[in-house]
């Protein structure tokens, strides 16, 4: 087994690095490259892998299998060669914002209601989280407000590795019993959780979280949320949709709901008149 030095744990902001190709394994589709060191984060814990390039080869996925860090590429790389690795930083930072925002929301819910995060998926559009208890829209608004207040306080995110004795005394979220080498990520005032993912170093870098929806799911609820740049993209989309509606209805943008209500009432009235005409024929 080849052990790769994990540069993303030493510096989560490292976007470029130089490494030596240790192995190049031909696959059904492309190649699996093993390096002596890497800043590419592998898929795991609900977080997608990094993507980017190794030299002129595209890195499409990164996975950890049997302790080895496998970089899946579209081209072969020569064993022993030095290669320049480049992380797709826009992709990585987006995932850091989403994962950090999810931690804060999950931690606040766990602290306030005692619910566990029993399912987590980081999609390309939204994050879905399954909780073991019920939440309503009013509670969602309170959680969102508290999370954003802590974000705007711009507190430092703590990452540390407690000893086994310290771990026994530490209160933290985890989906299973842990021992030995455990990485703890703490968002002051929001969450302390065992996690191997990539996170921002200050809460302010998350920017903002937005809780989009909550529906009953199994014995609890499924929540959809977004963080960071995705919130801005979402607000721009909603604003543009509302602008188009306001133009079509000749209404101010803060009066579109009332304009739609008037249109519905007018439509109902006209349907009634048409129905009456038909009856009179």
């Amino acid at each position: 087994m080849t052990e790769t030095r994990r540069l993303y744990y030493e510096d989560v902001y490292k976007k470029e690095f130089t490494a030596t190709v240790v192995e190049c394994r031909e696959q059904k589709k492309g190649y699996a490259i093993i390096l002596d060191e890497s800043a590419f984060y592998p898929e795991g814990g609900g977080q997608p892998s990094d993507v980017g390039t190794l030299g002129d080869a595209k890195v499409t996925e990164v996975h950890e299998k049997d302790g080895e860090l496998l970089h899946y590429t579209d081209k072969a790389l020569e064993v022993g060669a030095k290669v320049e690795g480049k992380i797709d930083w826009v992709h990585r930072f987006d995932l850091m914002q989403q994962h950090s925002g999810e931690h804060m929301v999950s931690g606040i819910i766990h602290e306030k209601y005692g619910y566990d995060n029993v399912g987590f998926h980081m999609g390309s559009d939204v994050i879905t989280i399954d909780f073991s208890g019920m939440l309503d829209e009013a509670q969602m608004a309170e959680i969102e407000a508290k999370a954003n207040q802590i974000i705007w306080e711009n507190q430092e995110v703590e990452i540390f590795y407690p000893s086994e004795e310290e771990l026994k005394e530490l209160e933290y979220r985890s989906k299973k019993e842990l021992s030995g080498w455990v990485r703890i990520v703490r968002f002051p005032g929001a969450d302390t959780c065992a996690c191997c993912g990539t996170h921002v170093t200050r809460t302010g870098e998350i920017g903002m979280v937005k809780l989009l929806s909550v529906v009953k799911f199994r014995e609890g609820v499924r929540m959809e949320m977004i963080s960071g740049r995705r919130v801005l993209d979402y607000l721009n989309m909603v604003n543009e949709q509302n602008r188009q509606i306001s133009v079509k209805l000749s209404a101010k943008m803060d009066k579109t709901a009332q304009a739609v209500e008037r249109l519905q009432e007018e439509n109902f009235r006209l349907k009634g008149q048409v129905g009456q005409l038909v009856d009179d024929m």
Side-chain angles (χ1 to χ4, degrees), residues 86-148:
K86 293 184 178 181
I87 306 294
D88 181 336
W89 180 249
V90 172
H91 176 75
R92 157 73 79 80
F93 190 64
D94 171 62
L95 296 179
M96 288 165 58
Q97 288 182 314
Q98 306 315 312
H99 203 163
S100 298
E102 176 272 323
H103 267 258
M104 295 190 67
V105 169
S106 293
I108 291 169
I109 290 174
H110 182 75
E111 174 67 24
K112 187 173 180 63
Y113 301 105
Y115 300 159
D116 292 322
N117 175 331
V118 295
F120 166 54
H121 176 68
M122 195 180 298
S124 58
D125 296 321
V126 299
I127 307 303
T128 59
I129 318 171
D130 299 335
F131 292 103
S132 60
M134 303 304 296
L135 294 167
D136 58 29
E137 296 288 344
Q139 292 167 323
M140 288 257 290
E142 290 180 10
I143 294 160
E144 179 181 279
K146 182 172 182 179
N148 283 312

Side-chain angles (χ1 to χ4, degrees), residues 258 260-271:
Q258 294 94 316
V260 169
E261 186 176 3
R262 287 196 300 272
L263 191 63
Q264 288 177 321
E265 291 173 352
E266 178 68 13
N267 186 50
F268 181 77
R269 185 181 65 79
L270 290 173
K271 280 184 177 180

Side-chain angles (χ1 to χ4, degrees), residues 39-52:
F40 282 88
Y41 180 79
E43 180 180 340
Q47 179 173 328
S49 74
D50 286 330
V51 294

Side-chain angles (χ1 to χ4, degrees), residues 73-91:
T73 64
D74 63 344
K75 294 181 180 180
L77 295 176
E78 183 181 350
V79 174
K82 293 281 188 181
V83 291
E84 297 293 325
K86 293 184 178 181
I87 306 294
D88 181 336
W89 180 249
V90 172
H91 176 75

Side-chain angles (χ1 to χ4, degrees), residues 247-278:
V247 170
K248 292 180 184 298
L249 297 180
S250 298
K252 293 182 178 180
M253 289 182 63
D254 62 343
K255 302 293 183 183
T256 51
Q258 294 94 316
V260 169
E261 186 176 3
R262 287 196 300 272
L263 191 63
Q264 288 177 321
E265 291 173 352
E266 178 68 13
N267 186 50
F268 181 77
R269 185 181 65 79
L270 290 173
K271 280 184 177 180
Q273 291 179 349
V274 170
Q276 185 64 50
L277 289 172
V278 171

Side-chain angles (χ1 to χ4, degrees), residues 143-162:
I143 294 160
E144 179 181 279
K146 182 172 182 179
N148 283 312
Q149 182 57 49
I150 297 172
I151 286 170
W152 299 329
E153 290 171 2
N154 197 30
Q155 299 190 57
E156 184 176 356
V157 179
E158 304 169 32
I159 297 178
F160 57 99
Y161 302 86

Side-chain angles (χ1 to χ4, degrees), residues 167-168 170 172-180 182 194:
L167 192 65
K168 290 177 183 177
L170 185 66
Y172 65 97
R173 290 192 304 115
S174 178
K175 294 180 181 178
K176 59 184 178 181
E177 288 292 324
L178 300 173
S179 61
V182 177

